[in-house]
Amino acid sequence: MADGRAPTGIGGENLLFLTDEQLRQGSEAMFFAYRGFTADPDRILMDLAYGRAHHRAIHFINRAPGTTVNNLLNILGVTKQSLNRVLRTLIADGLVESKVGRNDKRERHLHLTDAGKALERQLSDAQRARLRAAYREAGPEAVAGFRKVLEAMMDPEMRASYARLRETGG
Amino acid sequence: MADGRAPTGIGGENLLFLTDEQLRQGSEAMFFAYRGFTADPDRILMDLAYGRAHHRAIHFINRAPGTTVNNLLNILGVTKQSLNRVLRTLIADGLVESKVGRNDKRERHLHLTDAGKALERQLSDAQRARLRAAYREAGPEAVAGFRKVLEAMMDPEMRASYARLRETGG
DNA sequence: ATATTACGTCAGCCTTGTTGACACTCCAAG
DNA sequence: CTTGGAGTGTCAACAAGGCTGACGTAATAT
């Protein structure tokens, strides 16, 4: 199975395209595409002395305004120390606001300030432009397949996070 | 255009699906999927005190045996100092061999040793397993679309590297 | 003969991840 | 009311893996 040959039998249900070579090409496509995917925001962030970690925080705070630190931790999959370092600078720079919870006062609810929203817009505009161009080039059916495969590649918990964001956001 | 509304006009050529919200979901799909994509190899590498950088080097040396350092540098998009650190440990550990070029003796041609090939096999098996499962779940047409969009997302140079690897390798 | 290319390496810096430990606030349960 | 635990913030120390700058060496190209 891992010998690089195409499957020989006739009865493989849809398996004809799953040669090792094609799977390898899929890996490489992911690698190169992800580079492109992050390139544009990275350029913007560089000038601001921020990194990809800041972008991720801003993105998901914008996506789920009022989210708690713990929730964000789960989505991002990093330690609270790591997130806190990023969050601290964003708060200090006036891009993110942290409000004590009304219901449970231990929790902090995170929001973007106007400045934060402006940066988010700038970053996501850049990223969306690339995605939009790619979508347009590939066509609608390709986009559906793209999303389908990506979703199938996720870990189950990530898939749940993704689905949850989709419900509330779109 | 960046206001989150769906395009209103009738004549948008294939633009109906390109709402900001759907583009945003595409970004998130990329983010979560890439995490899944790297998760399995990462687990294997952790035990060996290697990281993702080692994986990438091993992958592309296996893919293009005899490649030069400079060529690998271009594919990976890192500095030679960064690559050298990784390469040095791989050579010291007997996973990679560096041979002086016959034609141009300044060049070093990189190959995997048997041990290197074994590790490459282990890593790519893990990654392929996930990709294969995702492909199977999503179906053949989805896979075609997946590849099409990913390729369209790449920077032009990366697209060239990707195409070159595809020619020689598959 | 000289300039350039390909490579290796040292030193130092940054971001972003990690663990471990500790403090504080607050909710919930006994 | 006390106590346990959850949610958060923070300090310290460390590692991986990027980066720049500088220098050296061998071999090719001009």
Side-chain angles (χ1 to χ4, degrees), chain A residues 5 9 19 27 52 70 89 92 96-97 121 124 129 132 150 152 160 163:
Chain A
R5 289 191 313 247
T19 65
S27 297
R52 222 172 270 181
N70 235 350
T89 73
V96 168
E97 228 177 355
R121 168 76 57 190
S124 62
R132 185 181 294 120
L150 286 186

Side-chain angles (χ1 to χ4, degrees), chain A residues 24 28, chain B residues 53-69 71-73 75-76 83 86-88 90-91 95-98 108-113 116-117 120 165:
Chain A
R24 207 178 289 267
E28 282 161 7
Chain B
H54 300 84
H55 183 191
R56 289 195 286 264
I58 288 175
H59 175 97
F60 285 109
I61 292 173
N62 174 256
R63 181 62 156 187
T67 187
T68 65
V69 173
N71 184 28
L72 198 51
L73 241 36
I75 289 178
L76 294 175
L83 175 59
V86 165
L87 232 37
R88 210 185 318 169
L90 290 177
I91 291 171
L95 300 180
V96 168
E97 228 177 354
S98 168
R108 301 299 138 89
H109 298 278
L110 303 170
H111 299 266
L112 294 185
T113 63
K117 283 177 195 164
E120 194 284 331
L165 284 169

Side-chain angles (χ1 to χ4, degrees), chain A residues 74-166:
Chain A
N74 290 329
I75 289 177
L76 295 176
V78 298
T79 59
K80 66 171 179 172
Q81 293 90 329
S82 230
L83 175 59
N84 189 255
R85 179 168 37 199
V86 166
L87 232 37
R88 211 186 315 168
T89 73
L90 290 176
I91 292 171
D93 294 351
L95 300 181
V96 168
E97 228 177 355
S98 166
K99 293 179 188 164
V100 172
R102 286 199 321 161
N103 223 350
D104 184 335
K105 292 179 187 166
R106 291 170 303 177
E107 296 180 340
R108 301 300 139 88
H109 297 278
L110 304 169
H111 300 265
L112 292 186
T113 64
D114 286 347
K117 283 176 196 164
L119 178 55
E120 194 285 330
R121 168 76 57 190
Q122 194 188 350
L123 292 169
S124 62
D125 275 357
Q127 198 155 57
R128 273 201 300 272
R130 179 179 296 250
L131 209 48
R132 185 181 294 120
Y135 277 15
R136 201 170 311 186
E137 185 179 332
E141 322 89 50
V143 170
F146 168 72
R147 292 273 297 273
K148 213 167 172 182
V149 174
L150 286 186
E151 190 168 344
M153 282 179 57
M154 298 176 196
D155 275 337
E157 326 98 74
M158 290 302 104
R159 211 159 164 172
S161 293
Y162 176 67
R164 214 174 307 122
L165 284 169
R166 238 180 351 181

Side-chain angles (χ1 to χ4, degrees), chain B residues 140-158:
Chain B
E141 321 90 48
V143 170
F146 168 72
R147 293 273 298 273
K148 213 167 171 182
V149 174
L150 286 187
E151 190 169 345
M153 283 178 57
M154 299 175 195
D155 275 338
E157 325 97 74
M158 292 301 104

